[in-house]
Amino acid sequence: MSSEKHSARSEPPEHRDGIIGDLLAEKDKLEDRLMELDDVPLLLVYTHLSGDEALMQRYAPHVKGAWAFEVDDVPELKRELCQALIATLADYTESGRPLPPAPPVDKLQRMCNASVGTQVPEEYMAMVLEELNFDRTDAKTVKWRKQPSPAFLDDFKVVVIGAGYSGLAMATKLKQAGIPFVMIEKNEDVGGTWFENTYPGIAVDTPNHFYSYSFRVKPDWDHFFSTGPEIIDYIRTCYAEMDIGEETRFNEEVVSAIWDKQGHRWDVTVRRKDGSEYAIRANAVITGVGLLNNPAVPDFPGRDRFKGPMFHSARWDHSVDLEGKRVVQVGTGASGMQLGPMIAPEVEHLTIFQRSPHWARHNPLLYAKVSDAMKWGLANIPYYNKWYRYQLLWATSDLVLPNLHKDPDWPEPERSLNAANDEVRQQLIAHISEQVNHDPELLAKLIPDFPPYGKRMLRDSNWYSALTRENVELVTGAVKEITETGVIDKDGIEHPADVIVLATGFKAQTPIYPMNVVGTKGSIRDAWGEDDPRAYLGITVPDFPNMFILYGPGTNGGHGGSAVYNSECQVRYTMLALREMIEREADRVEVRPEPFEEYINTVDAEHAKLVWTHPGVKNWYRNKAGRVVTNSPWPLSKYRNLTANFDPDDYIIEPA
Ligand code: N01
């Protein structure tokens, strides 16, 4: 289902012919350059290329964790590594040997373990091999098993809704497979949530060398954690390379999708910016609108009385100059924690309303720039970018999942879940305390009374230190009322405001809203009720044939990982389903109720063991009844395995 043209364009730079020879042309400088690179990816490159594991074993005791800053400074060992790597590269050049394929699984596992300072489970290996794609087989791209009939394929039509990260990944795979589609985007440009969220300080909190498409690796990110504009640039570049301009329609919004029970097609209504509407008849509908696209604006008493500007963080009003203004910020989640410290220096006074505190971790790379040496290494050293991606994959995802499991025998269940979780709690408290100069009043406000990871674990974006500024006040508790001139707190004290910023999150429990999606038995709102969305693997829903959801219910990676990774899993699964449909010339593919129910029950049972259902925890992951509706409970490797194959027995598949 892929074409040569596209796979060639996504070729990682390390596969360019002669690259090793080019490197060695500058042999005198090479050692110095290598010395500037991170130890572990270099070590893995050397081990992979040379086959020699001895150096890796000597390094292993110095690797305390998966982040670069968790590796001991061992200059002599590193110099030895660099020299050994140069000799290996020279050997490849002289012999003309091709780069080696992926290591065998047992060796891969030893490399994975030694490079992150812990035991990586064997189940993880399939995922690593696939993600790093050493063999250049691009296992995530679905291939036709038999050539589809041109007449059937030409007549087939898919509507992709949304041109964010997920929608674009879907569109590019459809294009590669030659499946006709249109992508409808309500905004004037690509990017989805990254297009809409432009608040000061916006940046990603998952490292970009992993938070990016596996099929569009970018070696020259300027930051480890990029800002919104850098991410939008990347998405735009990907979009330009995807060659899907003809299929994309900007400034148009899907208002409804109604399943035609007789004709087995979706009737999709699209509204243009001028209000006019048109219809598309489609075999399949794929929504890529995500979970975080509808801002939650609380209905505070008096909300309409306020005389000044008031806006949500996801709808930042750049026409409002905050300099010298008294600003009230409501909300201290991921958005609030980033924007507060950014605006604090320019405003006259910042009052922050914190309904409940969040936990936030320090990461020394958060604002660091990627050095030129590192960019060079990622672009030029064979396999360096792949092994670096592996390190981040582990550092940001399944490494932390055991931390989130409730230990039934743990003696302090109110404050933590298990011994490791408690250790994290202590580290976090020590960090907060240091950042606020051990101020007891601030500490009392800032230390959550629930275990770490109960809400999304945030990164300390200079949040705690910003709270020690003279012009910043942290007010705890709910907002009682908004007046013409300010915000009244729970104790009845009014905090004057020229501008109110609502960093109050999103309506994540009502995905696909406000589209009117009607399947065989009624609307998706009827199926899901007010706030109980459910989908098999987070992707398909009984009674909604030929509909696929990307970043849907139960797929948010609450323990970490990259939303892009999960989306790619969903895209592959959707492609597998479409392949089944097209090769069989089927009209209808609909998940059966039994596997759906069984899956939901398994998910709920797993959630019961995890922190998000802890009694003291409130978060946006749970609905009013307390069910976790947004998050995946699975390790990435398990979700990958669940979605890597399409089992036709799980579906009703009707021929055309
Ligand atoms: O939203 P949130 P967000 N009265 O729901 C408070 C992604 N993201 O936009 O904690 C008073 O986390 C609410 O209080 P409480 C990421 O997945 C990523 O910040 O519920 N306060 C909370 O403090 C993230 O998880 C990045 O008690 C009210 C805040 O508003 C998700 O988006 C950056 C209130 C909402 O926090 C959402 O993050 C930004 C009320 N009525 C976003 N209602 C990065 O990658 C809500 N609050 C860095």
Side-chain angles (χ1 to χ4, degrees):
M1 286 170 105
S2 62
S3 76
E4 273 306 301
K5 189 174 155 211
H6 286 272
S7 56
R9 261 205 310 247
S10 62
E11 196 87 328
E14 70 266 28
H15 294 123
R16 290 197 314 252
D17 287 342
I19 187 71
I20 295 176
D22 290 351
L23 278 177
L24 293 169
E26 301 186 75
K27 208 168 177 177
D28 50 333
K29 288 194 220 143
L30 194 52
E31 189 175 319
D32 291 345
R33 280 195 173 181
L34 294 182
M35 283 298 286
E36 287 185 58
L37 302 181
D38 283 357
D39 303 45
V40 166
L42 268 189
L43 180 66
L44 293 171
V45 168
Y46 167 72
T47 309
H48 189 176
L49 263 52
S50 69
D52 165 29
E53 294 182 46
L55 204 48
M56 182 175 83
Q57 298 311 336
R58 284 166 58 210
Y59 243 97
H62 301 288
V63 180
K64 309 283 163 46
W67 294 97
F69 50 82
E70 293 173 314
V71 180
D72 291 340
D73 190 19
V74 282
E76 281 175 25
L77 196 53
K78 189 166 183 185
R79 194 160 291 283
E80 192 182 331
L81 165 65
C82 295
Q83 289 168 354
L85 179 57
I86 291 171
T88 303
L89 293 173
D91 185 47
Y92 271 88
T93 305
E94 281 153 24
S95 65
R97 268 188 296 150
L99 294 177
V105 170
D106 56 339
K107 180 172 179 186
L108 178 71
Q109 200 176 0
R110 288 197 295 279
M111 291 173 75
C112 288
N113 293 345
S115 60
V116 297
T118 188
Q119 291 293 311
V120 180
E122 199 180 336
E123 306 85 85
Y124 211 68
M125 296 305 122
M127 172 181 162
V128 173
L129 284 174
E130 182 176 280
E131 184 69 7
L132 305 193
N133 190 26
F134 287 110
D135 301 330
R136 286 188 283 159
T137 50
D138 194 4
K140 280 201 215 162
T141 293
V142 176
K143 307 206 170 47
W144 294 115
R145 292 166 300 192
K146 66 171 193 178
Q147 210 46 42
S149 117
F152 188 82
L153 191 59
D154 286 354
D155 212 30
F156 202 85
K157 185 148 202 173
V158 177
V159 172
V160 179
I161 309 171
Y165 254 120
S166 305
L168 289 172
M170 191 72 241
T172 194
K173 297 295 176 186
L174 289 167
K175 178 93 180 184
Q176 285 174 6
I179 299 175
F181 71 97
V182 285
M183 182 166 60
I184 310 290
E185 168 54 57
K186 70 176 162 36
N187 294 321
E188 66 192 46
D189 201 351
V190 292
T193 193
W194 289 106
F195 176 82
E196 291 176 357
N197 283 263
T198 60
Y199 60 78
I202 182 158
V204 68
D205 63 4
T206 306
N208 267 116
H209 297 89
F210 174 44
Y211 185 84
S212 47
Y213 295 125
S214 64
F215 55 90
R216 286 284 183 286
V217 171
K218 175 177 160 64
D220 58 346
W221 289 105
D222 281 330
H223 292 93
F224 298 95
F225 298 90
S226 298
T227 62
E230 288 172 284
I231 293 170
I232 275 290
D233 269 1
Y234 168 73
I235 297 175
R236 282 191 184 127
T237 306
C238 292
Y239 173 65
E241 288 175 7
M242 285 169 180
D243 188 21
I244 50 175
E246 270 184 31
E247 290 87 351
T248 313
R249 299 180 189 171
F250 291 115
N251 291 315
E252 296 187 358
E253 183 168 359
V254 171
V255 287
S256 69
I258 317 275
W259 177 251
D260 171 354
K261 285 188 240 176
Q262 271 74 48
H264 286 184
R265 294 285 184 279
W266 283 101
D267 287 313
V268 179
T269 303
V270 183
R271 185 178 298 148
R272 301 186 185 91
K273 265 270 180 302
D274 64 7
S276 62
E277 294 183 350
Y278 68 95
I280 307 175
R281 204 160 158 79
N283 300 66
V285 166
I286 303 170
T287 109
V289 300
L291 291 173
L292 303 173
N293 66 341
N294 278 315
V297 178
D299 196 11
F300 295 125
R303 193 177 77 182
D304 298 333
R305 296 208 327 253
F306 185 62
K307 290 263 193 267
M310 177 164 63
F311 47 85
H312 190 274
S313 54
R315 300 286 180 270
W316 195 265
D317 185 345
H318 290 276
S319 70
V320 177
D321 182 3
L322 295 183
E323 195 171 343
K325 301 274 176 23
R326 295 164 306 172
V327 176
V328 168
Q329 170 187 328
V330 183
T332 59
S335 305
M337 223 179 238
Q338 288 187 322
L339 74 89
M342 285 302 283
I343 62 173
E346 68 173 302
V347 302
E348 183 197 299
H349 192 269
L350 177 63
T351 309
I352 299 173
F353 273 73
Q354 173 192 267
R355 188 166 64 178
S356 60
H358 290 237
W359 290 108
R361 275 192 115 144
H362 170 62
N363 186 306
L365 296 178
L366 191 60
Y367 292 113
K369 286 198 84 172
V370 181
S371 67
D372 288 343
M374 180 94 170
K375 286 186 197 171
W376 170 85
L378 288 163
N380 292 291
I381 301 291
Y383 293 163
Y384 187 82
N385 68 354
K386 291 181 182 293
W387 285 113
Y388 184 55
R389 195 170 172 100
Y390 158 68
Q391 233 190 327
L392 297 175
L393 175 76
W394 181 249
T396 60
S397 60
D398 295 353
L399 163 71
V400 296
L401 193 54
N403 248 328
L404 277 63
H405 274 262
K406 298 170 192 163
D407 174 352
D409 300 325
W410 182 243
E412 314 261 17
E414 295 81 28
R415 54 180 236 164
S416 51
L417 305 169
N418 54 48
N421 185 266
D422 200 63
E423 201 182 318
V424 171
R425 184 187 173 94
Q426 299 311 323
Q427 290 164 2
L428 294 169
I429 292 174
H431 173 70
I432 302 171
S433 184
E434 190 199 336
Q435 292 297 303
V436 300
N437 307 319
H438 313 288
D439 176 339
E441 206 182 312
L442 267 179
L443 272 174
K445 291 177 176 177
L446 289 171
I447 297 178
D449 59 5
F450 55 85
Y453 296 99
K455 297 177 197 261
R456 182 184 161 98
M457 177 62 74
L458 305 181
R459 298 211 184 271
D460 177 13
S461 45
N462 300 323
W463 171 249
Y464 298 113
S465 59
L467 299 177
T468 66
R469 292 177 63 94
E470 294 224 324
N471 69 336
V472 176
E473 183 188 5
L474 184 67
V475 176
T476 54
V479 168
K480 191 170 177 198
E481 192 180 341
I482 295 189
T483 67
E484 289 185 2
T485 52
V487 182
I488 299 180
D489 69 21
K490 63 176 190 319
D491 301 321
I493 299 167
E494 178 167 359
H495 299 265
D498 302 311
V499 180
I500 298 175
V501 172
L502 302 172
T504 43
F506 298 87
K507 295 175 187 161
Q509 294 134 17
T510 49
I512 324 189
Y513 186 83
M515 261 184 286
N516 181 31
V517 178
V518 180
T520 56
K521 295 193 182 146
S523 84
I524 196 82
R525 302 265 82 86
D526 296 336
W528 287 349
E530 192 192 345
D531 61 359
D532 199 10
R534 296 156 183 249
Y536 179 60
L537 304 172
I539 304 171
T540 50
V541 185
D543 308 325
F544 292 83
N546 305 2
M547 181 178 92
F548 305 92
I549 308 173
L550 309 176
Y551 193 16
T555 64
N556 182 57
H559 71 284
S562 148
V564 184
Y565 182 82
N566 286 5
S567 280
E568 286 190 15
C569 290
Q570 293 140 19
V571 165
R572 166 169 48 194
Y573 186 82
T574 302
M575 287 301 291
L576 289 166
L578 292 177
R579 177 176 74 174
E580 199 69 41
M581 250 186 114
I582 293 169
E583 287 183 355
R584 289 190 193 202
E585 304 200 355
D587 236 6
R588 175 172 160 232
V589 173
E590 181 184 335
V591 67
R592 294 180 188 278
E594 302 79 16
F596 164 81
E597 294 292 349
E598 195 187 325
Y599 180 74
I600 299 297
N601 291 340
T602 322
V603 164
D604 288 350
E606 194 64 19
H607 276 310
K609 302 177 200 158
L610 290 166
V611 65
W612 306 308
T613 52
H614 191 274
V617 172
K618 287 191 184 135
N619 50 41
W620 60 261
Y621 307 149
R622 300 171 84 177
N623 64 10
K624 288 203 186 78
R627 190 176 161 263
V628 177
V629 295
T630 60
N631 282 13
S632 161
W634 309 124
L636 294 198
S637 50
K638 172 147 185 177
Y639 189 62
R640 179 252 165 219
N641 293 345
L642 287 169
T643 52
N645 295 296
F646 177 84
D647 184 350
D649 291 345
D650 290 341
Y651 285 78
I652 302 157
I653 304 181
E654 272 186 37

